Amino acid sequence: MKFSVVITTYNRVNLLRRAIDSVLKQTIPCEVVVADDCSSDETETYLKSLGNSVVYHRNEANKGHAATVNAGVEKASGDWIKFLDDDDYLAPNCLEEMAKVISLHPTAVICSCIAAQVDSNEVELSRTTEFGPGLAFYIPQADIHYGMLLELVPFGTPVQVACHRDAFLQTGGWDSHLDANCDDIDSWIRIAQFGDAIFLNQCLAYRTIWPGAYNQKFSLFKRLETNILMKEKIYALVDQKHRSHLPKFENTKNYLRLHWSLVALKQGQLKLFLTMVYPAIFSPVAWWLLVTAVFSRRLNRSNSYLQKLVLINTSLG
């Protein structure tokens, strides 16, 4: 098994240095691919100074985040791709731990882990919650989209995720129409059509929370619209065996409206709150879905779906 770490970058050479350093310090060998979206700072000079330590691709013009990811994967030679944005970084044992569990379940096509969220000074703010039983476990392909729809299967952001390169290429890559607004989630949805998923309850990645993050440029209303689009895509892919248990899609849409309207209220955007919350506020099912999602995330409680997930051997050394 060979990993290629694909790092996307644009005009953030100081952050890029940290990302690359975290990959070069991995406890197993890997390929480092840097896809540069035609940076105008010192990025090109720095990368060329690294010589053969990295595979460097530079877009001839600025093409956006999604297209840059695709270009990086095209240059990669590994059979597994580990995604990394330039403002994030990996724990030294990230690839080694992923390789262990993937080798135990060769039909997997996507693997995720816990991430710590840190500020610009690398001070930890929070962590994504542990998910499911044991140190590591897998979800059969037929169950993945049902779990994603109910928000029981949180693959997370690129710093948490690796995928099989062949599965990535079968999907056609990341969608430039989304470009940094759920382009990663859209990719996980499509990759999950081709095999099983693995989750690691280990913190192996670090995501920087700061105003310069790519997704900060989108309004809450735009994020709501894109979230609804993602749910539509997931809904269409839910395996037939789960169809009788699905909530009506209108209830799912109303749940998302409630979620994002409450985010707007928390931010003091009262006008936007009032625009988003109607008619969802009158849907008892939407409120039930919201409360269930909140308590499931906070308490990480067991439920009948998670109990069906198959535990991987946890004696991984």
Side-chain angles (χ1 to χ4, degrees):
M1 180 190 308
K2 176 182 177 181
F3 272 94
S4 293
V5 181
V6 173
I7 306 174
T8 50
T9 191
Y10 177 64
N11 281 346
R12 300 198 295 208
V13 67
N14 290 332
L15 290 168
L16 176 63
R17 288 189 175 96
R18 180 181 66 179
I20 291 177
D21 188 54
S22 77
V23 181
L24 294 177
K25 290 180 177 178
Q26 289 298 299
T27 54
I28 62 172
C30 65
E31 179 181 59
V32 186
V33 179
V34 179
D36 175 13
D37 195 17
C38 200
S39 295
S40 57
D41 62 2
E42 299 299 315
T43 295
E44 184 175 13
T45 301
Y46 163 63
L47 289 169
K48 287 183 175 179
S49 74
L50 297 177
N52 294 331
S53 298
V54 303
V55 176
Y56 177 41
H57 167 82
R58 177 180 170 86
N59 292 341
E60 67 275 9
N62 188 260
K63 295 183 177 181
H65 184 248
T68 306
V69 170
N70 293 339
V73 175
E74 286 290 339
K75 290 290 183 181
S77 62
D79 45 352
W80 274 80
I81 302 296
K82 179 71 194 74
F83 300 95
L84 187 61
D85 289 330
D86 55 8
D87 55 346
D88 299 329
Y89 56 103
L90 304 177
N93 62 332
C94 178
L95 299 185
E96 182 177 4
E97 295 301 320
M98 286 188 164
K100 287 178 183 178
V101 293
I102 292 167
S103 66
L104 293 173
H105 197 69
T107 58
V109 295
I110 187 165
C111 179
S112 187
C113 67
I114 292 174
Q117 302 193 29
V118 299
D119 65 16
S120 55
N121 295 314
E122 299 185 14
V123 175
E124 184 172 328
L125 305 172
S126 61
R127 289 190 179 193
T128 56
T129 58
E130 290 190 7
F131 174 54
L135 178 64
F137 65 98
Y138 82 91
I139 302 177
Q141 193 281 324
D143 296 334
I144 296 174
H145 293 103
Y146 180 61
M148 292 182 79
L149 186 73
L150 300 185
E151 299 189 2
L152 299 172
V153 179
F155 288 116
T157 58
V159 71
Q160 296 170 250
V161 176
C163 78
H164 200 285
R165 185 173 183 269
D166 288 348
F168 179 94
L169 295 176
Q170 286 183 80
T171 68
W174 286 25
D175 186 347
S176 289
H177 292 97
L178 297 170
D179 206 38
N181 184 21
C182 289
D183 50 4
D184 52 351
I185 303 302
D186 176 67
S187 182
W188 316 153
I189 292 167
R190 291 181 288 119
I191 289 168
Q193 297 176 81
F194 298 102
D196 302 333
I198 298 177
F199 284 83
L200 274 162
N201 280 323
Q202 298 181 67
C203 184
L204 301 172
Y206 297 86
R207 182 189 180 205
T208 306
I209 304 300
W210 67 299
Y214 291 128
N215 63 359
Q216 295 299 313
K217 64 183 179 181
F218 297 105
S219 69
L220 294 183
F221 194 81
K222 181 64 176 177
R223 293 169 76 177
L224 166 62
E225 288 183 329
T226 308
N227 270 205
I228 291 173
L229 174 61
M230 294 301 105
K231 291 291 188 182
E232 286 180 319
K233 292 187 175 188
I234 295 168
Y235 204 92
L237 293 171
V238 171
D239 191 87
Q240 192 62 41
K241 74 176 186 177
H242 296 297
R243 287 281 167 182
S244 62
H245 307 298
L246 292 182
K248 292 182 179 178
F249 188 68
E250 189 60 32
N251 290 326
T252 300
K253 288 172 65 176
N254 281 330
Y255 151 67
L256 292 172
R257 292 187 183 106
L258 284 178
H259 169 79
W260 286 104
S261 65
L262 291 174
V263 173
L265 184 63
K266 186 177 180 180
Q267 294 183 0
Q269 300 185 52
L270 183 58
K271 184 177 180 180
L272 183 58
F273 164 76
L274 294 172
T275 300
M276 286 182 170
V277 79
Y278 179 82
I281 196 171
F282 300 113
S283 169
V285 177
W287 280 106
W288 179 82
L289 290 171
L290 178 67
V291 170
T292 299
V294 169
F295 277 90
S296 292
R297 285 193 291 266
R298 288 184 179 179
L299 302 179
N300 192 32
R301 62 188 179 185
S302 297
N303 56 64
S304 59
Y305 178 73
L306 288 178
Q307 289 168 0
K308 295 177 183 177
L309 301 179
V310 183
L311 188 65
I312 289 179
N313 181 357
T314 57
S315 57
L316 299 176

